[in-house]
Amino acid sequence: MLFDKFQEMADFQAELAGKDVKPFGAVTEELISATEGIVQGKQVILAGTNNYLGLSYDSRCIEASRAAVDKWGTGTTGSRLANGSFAEHQALEAEMADFYGVDHAICFSTGYSATMGMTATLAGPGDVILLDGDSHSSIYSGVKLSGAEIIRFKHNDPEDLAKRLRRLGDRTANTLIIAEGIYSMLGDVAPLKEVAAIKREYGGYLMVDEAHSMGVMGESGRGAAQAAGIENDVDFFAGTFSKSLGGIGGFCTSRHPELEAIRFCIRPYIFTASLTPSVVASTREALRIVRAEPELRDRLWDNAGRLFKGLTDLGLMLGPSVSPVVAVQLADRAQAIDCWQALLNAGVYVNMVVPPATPSTNFLLRNSVSAAHSTEQIDQIIGAYASLLDGGLINPDQAA
Ligand code: PMP
């Protein structure tokens, strides 16, 4: 039957309903600040937002957005190819290109359509895509649509990438290599220095999805490639406006002039309505703030380091390195569900990542840190995790 494949999800939903726990689609009923809200009737610290710089609630971004609504109305009612290219979009594209020090940029309506659209379009039948095994769903969706030969290399394993690239011989001229800056689940950073060196040796084109690293890493906030000093080796930077920039939308920037022809071949660019001007305006303001206020990044990393150390000191099992994504690894789904609810009861909202809701073999509570978190809030988050150990929901012998 058509619906058979949804049975596992239906069973999972029934399990959650039986426990009266709602970790998916938990409703934020009120927002108090960038880091506090009322979620399911409880006042909580928001620790699962991707709001890395707190800019979704910045008064300057809100004001820019408000002014744009007055000027442009609520939506564009068309795609960029048709009636949906407004001066705001062009200005944002010029600013994104300038930010990355390149001549070409495309803005998309979501980050998902940016990475999906670019990967689906850049490579086609007869080409090869070499992607990290832990790539985001948007990348998997895109490569599937591309028609190219798809080869996965082991997550963050440059030697495996080199081996597979070597085997391709002359075909590397038609190969797109895809990596992310910070991986969204465990917060680990790609070994981009090594990846770039391999690309230099064997050839190919490199796309880096900086969704979680733009605004977060690098001297001027351009991301993990900037932090690794290999930006000249990157052919395409992709990313999102929905995390550090606090809005919605996605981008691709490139030094290749061909991006202007590619633009009109990307279906999730051609056949979907363009970004609402008010979102473009807040994104432009957020980008200006990212460039003008590097201290926001310092604050973010201080907070990330504090949370990582606090949770490590509790003995919890975390991702491999300090990053604004701090993932706590648990034993199984039942434990993740119970801990998620206990954290909510203790006033901390985090993300739960478990199969089948995500195609992952990990059972995670995923915390995302913000520059807008106060030191006290970080300590409260640590305190809430300590209460999981005190309450016996996590055993000390289960820790790292
Ligand atoms: N790429 C990566 C690596 C992501 O983690 C995400 C979102 N989690 C996206 C792309 C899609 O971005 P958006 O949610 O802004 O559509």
Side-chain angles (χ1 to χ4, degrees), residues 110-113 115 136 138 180 184 209 211-212 240-243 249:
T110 66
Y112 197 103
S113 51
T115 35
H136 187 257
S138 55
E180 294 175 26
S184 58
D209 182 354
H212 291 268
T240 179
F241 301 142
S242 73
K243 302 184 196 298

Side-chain angles (χ1 to χ4, degrees), residues 214-289:
M214 188 262 223
V216 167
M217 292 182 75
E219 197 185 345
S220 42
R222 294 202 290 254
Q226 186 182 32
I230 56 99
E231 284 182 293
N232 288 340
D233 296 295
V234 178
D235 296 282
F236 301 95
F237 294 92
T240 179
F241 301 142
S242 73
K243 302 184 196 298
S244 63
L245 299 184
I248 191 164
F251 68 87
C252 176
T253 67
S254 178
R255 65 190 142 84
H256 295 292
E258 288 81 357
L259 191 68
E260 299 307 333
I262 295 167
R263 173 194 296 267
F264 294 113
C265 302
I266 305 169
R267 299 209 289 185
Y269 177 87
I270 305 171
F271 295 108
T272 196
S274 64
L275 281 168
T276 293
S278 55
V279 165
V280 180
S282 72
T283 302
R284 292 179 64 196
E285 180 61 13
L287 182 62
R288 189 194 65 73
I289 294 169

Side-chain angles (χ1 to χ4, degrees), residues 12 22 62 98 171 191 208 216 252 276 281 359 377:
F12 184 34
K22 299 189 185 76
I62 293 171
D98 182 60
R171 293 185 76 199
V208 179
V216 167
C252 176
T276 293
Q377 287 176 324

Side-chain angles (χ1 to χ4, degrees), residues 20 64 105 111 120 170 228 257 262 270 300 311:
D20 198 24
D170 291 347
I262 295 167
I270 305 171
L300 170 67
L311 298 186

